[in-house]
Amino acid sequence: MSTAHNNANIGDIAETVLLPGDPLRAKYIADTFLEDVVQFNTVRNMFGYTGTYKGKKVSVMGSGMGIPSIGIYSFELIHEYGVKNLIRVGSCGAYNDKLELYDIILAIGASTNSNYASQYNLNGTYSATASWELLSKAKNVADEKGIETHVGNILSSDIFYNADSDAWKRWADMGILGVEMEAYALYCNAAKAGINALTILTVSDSLVTQKETTPEERQNSFSKMMEIALGIIE
Ligand code: HPA
């Protein structure tokens, strides 16, 4: 069995999947942290791998950029492949001056300017939240390892290059810690299916200070985030 976007067979994918945005980062994570790695997906170069970490079966797959992309891949992982825990490991732009480059955010909630939740026909605004089980584990792992984390609400934006250059300041005024482009859809898909999702982010740039990391630095700057994500699994 395979889908239009994933040529894995049933059973090829673990119940817990790490989801970086970049498929080459999925390959890097598999090569660096997992043992006995088998590639399960090549469609559209959205690489996915299954291996073991400290004897536990775990998978890692790219989600692509943006709510539509992670919406597709996470839906299929849940509904076609039986995945129960989805952990996004990504980067974000900081909206708050307390956040430095490389700081870690555990996204307890995701706000959005996307229409993603309109599909549920709710008579109101849906608040997308992380699974408490994964969030509390992540926080405990981080505390035990002495890794500082910022736990809060983030913005999953549909817009990277915003014509309204001050829009971010109004989200920042609401306590939003930073911006990325995927968590809201991941949390909605997980909630609707009754499974677990969490988003862990490394600050890669700051809207406040204009500081930013280079793409090369980004690729290698996520060790703290990976320690937390892998600590949840073990
Ligand atoms: N905006 C949106 N997504 C991001 C950013 C950003 O500044 N940085 C990392 N992901």
Side-chain angles (χ1 to χ4, degrees):
M1 220 282 318
S2 62
T3 74
H5 316 100
N6 195 330
N7 50 16
N9 292 309
I10 303 286
D12 287 353
I13 303 179
E15 282 200 351
T16 298
V17 181
L18 303 178
L19 286 171
D22 177 356
L24 289 179
R25 191 172 291 186
K27 178 172 177 7
Y28 177 85
I29 290 169
D31 289 345
T32 309
F33 300 105
L34 306 187
E35 290 176 81
D36 304 319
V37 171
V38 177
Q39 183 166 25
F40 65 74
N41 190 46
T42 53
V43 178
R44 287 176 185 251
N45 289 333
M46 197 55 80
F47 305 137
Y49 307 86
T50 297
T52 59
Y53 180 74
K54 298 197 175 169
K56 300 253 173 71
K57 190 174 168 187
V58 59
S59 297
V60 55
M61 181 178 175
S63 69
M65 289 186 287
I67 280 174
S69 186
I70 199 168
I72 291 168
Y73 291 113
S74 62
F75 188 94
E76 292 180 353
L77 287 170
I78 297 166
H79 294 281
E80 305 292 339
Y81 296 101
V83 171
K84 302 293 182 208
N85 303 294
L86 286 159
I87 305 172
R88 166 164 153 70
V89 283
S91 61
C92 71
Y95 276 5
N96 187 301
D97 62 8
K98 293 193 186 79
L99 288 159
E100 303 283 346
L101 295 185
Y102 307 117
D103 277 3
I104 305 288
I105 295 174
L106 303 177
I108 192 169
S111 299
T112 197
N113 53 24
S114 148
N115 225 8
Y116 194 77
S118 67
Q119 64 181 303
Y120 307 119
N121 292 312
L122 302 167
N123 185 21
T125 306
Y126 181 70
S127 298
T129 60
S131 127
W132 174 246
E133 191 183 326
L134 291 180
L135 180 71
S136 59
K137 270 192 201 167
K139 180 67 177 141
N140 286 339
V141 168
D143 289 349
E144 277 166 22
K145 292 181 185 291
I147 301 169
E148 190 194 354
T149 53
H150 302 263
V151 181
N153 201 354
I154 59 160
L155 175 67
S156 298
S157 181
D158 271 349
I159 307 161
F160 189 88
Y161 297 108
N162 200 326
D164 178 353
S165 58
D166 282 340
W168 72 271
K169 293 180 183 162
R170 298 190 291 277
W171 289 104
D173 268 354
M174 291 301 291
I176 297 290
L177 297 179
V179 59
E180 49 86 85
M181 308 184 79
E182 292 84 17
Y184 190 86
L186 178 66
Y187 288 179
C188 284
N189 281 353
K192 182 84 170 102
I195 63 111
N196 298 318
L198 174 66
T199 294
I200 311 174
L201 300 168
T202 302
V203 173
S204 61
D205 54 274
S206 171
L207 283 282
V208 185
T209 64
Q210 310 293 326
K211 285 187 199 158
E212 59 181 18
T213 53
T214 65
E216 295 76 38
E217 283 169 337
R218 273 174 214 212
Q219 195 146 17
N220 302 310
S221 68
F222 64 134
S223 52
K224 286 188 288 184
M225 179 167 70
M226 287 311 301
E227 267 191 75
I228 298 172
L230 293 167
I232 296 173
I233 292 161
E234 72 181 67

